[in-house]
């Protein structure tokens, strides 16, 4: 029997324009988890080629995301930072999971529908099977916790479905090989190989919305740069974007209930709360009754105070691209050392070894 250690895994695609949503929904929370967990943070470059195969400068984009992790406070000595394509186990396990997951499960994935749009027949097969690769990213390390934004909730449910089907379908072999781990599933305890990973979707900014439209997610691919705050924006750009952010004409409410059906107000208050490590209720107790003309400058000051040092540190890290490559290679070696025995177990369980 092999023990499953608590372990955090999460990733970001190197698709440019890392924004405040990626930071508050994921990276800022990764930094906090380092104190309590063993963490593996990945630049998921294989995912980056699912929506668009040819990129102008993929190596540069990979380094930029790695630099953002480091600049935000990820400690590459104590934890693992690497890019996905350097560890071949991700692609190998994804293939096995392509054979575990069912077409019906993937057909229900809303992100594929959104990203493929009307031209579904022309979307890459990789975009369709993206959630299987994401399950492989996580389960290649038997990760128990995955901090992500709200948009990844459905993919994490699929990861649990894949783990559960694998555990059920192969339960006899897992037991015969002595690889089973007792797991509580509802009222029962079963023997499984993969953990049922816990999503960590927490805090006031799990879904940061566009600054131009409070009903749309802040996104790298939004054609309007005014819709997002990029982590590389300077103080002027941050202040200008917050000043121009869409709002309604009313004053801020004093309680969170007053944010219902006011998506833009809710978004800006959530951003303030997440940046300040406070709750939305706490922010409203301070700003309730005030107009956006007073709240926006306070938010802009806070955003500049928190984000400018990260942008500066990113520039410093990126000034030495060879060092970033060295850190990624070192991280990949450490990731591979964890992944190899797990992949070998999986191959034995499936009967490939
Ligand atoms: N708006 C958001 N609010 C909170 N969290 C977010 N995340 C992304 N957007 C928001 C979280 O950031 C992590 C990395 O995301 P990703 O880059 O791997 O993929 P994505 O979700 O596809 O990011 P984008 O910006 O929306 O890119 P495009 O425009 O290409 O689709 C994840 O944890 C994600 O939840």
């Amino acid at each position: 029997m092999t023990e499953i250690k608590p372990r955090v895994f999460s990733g970001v695609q190197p698709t440019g324009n890392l924004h405040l949503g990626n930071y508050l929904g994921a990276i800022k929370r990764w930094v906090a988890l380092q104190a309590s967990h063993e963490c593996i943070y990945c630049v998921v470059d294989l995912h980056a080629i699912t929506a668009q195969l040819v990129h102008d400068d993929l190596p540069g984009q990979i380094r930029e995301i790695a630099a953002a992790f480091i600049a935000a406070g990820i400690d590459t000595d104590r934890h693992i930072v690497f890019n996905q394509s350097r560890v071949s186990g991700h692609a190998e396990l994804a293939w096995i999971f392509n054979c575990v997951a069912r077409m019906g499960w993937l057909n229900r994935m809303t992100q594929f529908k959104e990203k493929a749009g009307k031209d579904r027949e022309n979307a890459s097969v990789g975009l369709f099977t993206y959630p299987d690769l994401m399950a492989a990213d996580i389960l290649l390390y038997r990760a128990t916790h995955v901090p992500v934004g709200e948009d990844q909730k459905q993919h994490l449910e699929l990861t649990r479905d894949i783990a559960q089907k694998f555990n059920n379908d192969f339960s006899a072999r897992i037991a015969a090989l002595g690889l089973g781990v007792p797991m509580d599933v509802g009222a029962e305890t079963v023997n499984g190989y993969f953990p049922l990973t816990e999503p960590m979707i927490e805090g006031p900014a799990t879904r940061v919305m566009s600054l131009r439209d409070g009903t749309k997610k802040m996104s790298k691919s939004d054609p309007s740069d005014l819709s997002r705050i990029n982590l590389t924006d300077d103080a002027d750009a941050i202040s200008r974007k917050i000043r121009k952010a869409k709002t309604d004409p009313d004053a801020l409410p004093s309680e969170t209930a007053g944010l219902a059906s006011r998506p833009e107000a809710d978004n800006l208050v959530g951003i303030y709360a997440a940046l300040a490590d406070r709750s939305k209720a706490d922010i409203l107790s301070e700003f309730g009754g005030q107009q956006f003309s007073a709240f926006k400058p306070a938010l802009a000051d806070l955003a500049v105070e928190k984000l400018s040092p990260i942008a500066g540190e990113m520039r410093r890290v990126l000034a030495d691209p060879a060092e970033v490559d060295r850190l990624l290679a070192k991280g990949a070696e450490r990731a591979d050392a964890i992944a190899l025995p797990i992949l070998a177990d999986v191959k034995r369980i499936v009967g490939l070894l």
Side-chain angles (χ1 to χ4, degrees), residues 13 19 21-22 115 149 151-152 206 208 217-221:
Q13 297 184 66
H19 55 72
N22 301 130
K115 291 202 170 178
D151 59 328
Q152 295 301 325
T206 54
V208 177
K217 187 181 87 129
M218 185 177 285
S219 158
K220 297 177 190 131
S221 53

Side-chain angles (χ1 to χ4, degrees), residues 181-235:
V181 179
M183 290 175 191
D184 292 333
V185 179
E188 285 182 87
T189 301
V190 297
N191 271 305
Y193 183 75
F194 286 122
L196 300 184
T197 305
E198 291 292 333
M200 299 174 106
I201 303 173
E202 293 152 7
T206 54
R207 190 171 178 82
V208 177
M209 308 309 273
S210 157
L211 298 179
R212 306 303 297 162
D213 178 352
T215 63
K216 256 173 68 183
K217 187 181 87 129
M218 185 177 285
S219 158
K220 297 177 190 131
S221 53
D222 194 313
S224 166
D225 192 53
L226 282 177
S227 70
R228 66 180 160 262
I229 294 176
N230 303 305
L231 283 195
T232 49
D233 281 345
D234 62 19

Side-chain angles (χ1 to χ4, degrees), residues 10-27 29-30 42 44 47 51 65 111 114-115 130 134 146-153 201 205-210 216-222 228 267:
S10 199
V12 172
Q13 297 184 66
T15 41
N17 293 331
L18 205 59
H19 55 72
L20 187 65
N22 301 130
Y23 177 63
L24 295 178
I27 301 171
R29 295 169 48 236
W30 300 1
C42 187
V44 286
H47 286 279
I65 302 293
Q111 195 177 83
E114 280 160 25
K115 291 202 170 178
Y130 177 119
M134 181 165 157
V146 181
V148 280
E150 175 75 33
D151 59 328
Q152 295 301 325
K153 188 165 183 260
I201 303 173
T206 54
R207 190 171 178 82
V208 177
M209 308 309 273
S210 157
K216 256 173 68 183
K217 187 181 87 129
M218 185 177 285
S219 158
K220 297 177 190 131
S221 53
D222 194 313
R228 66 180 160 262
N267 190 36

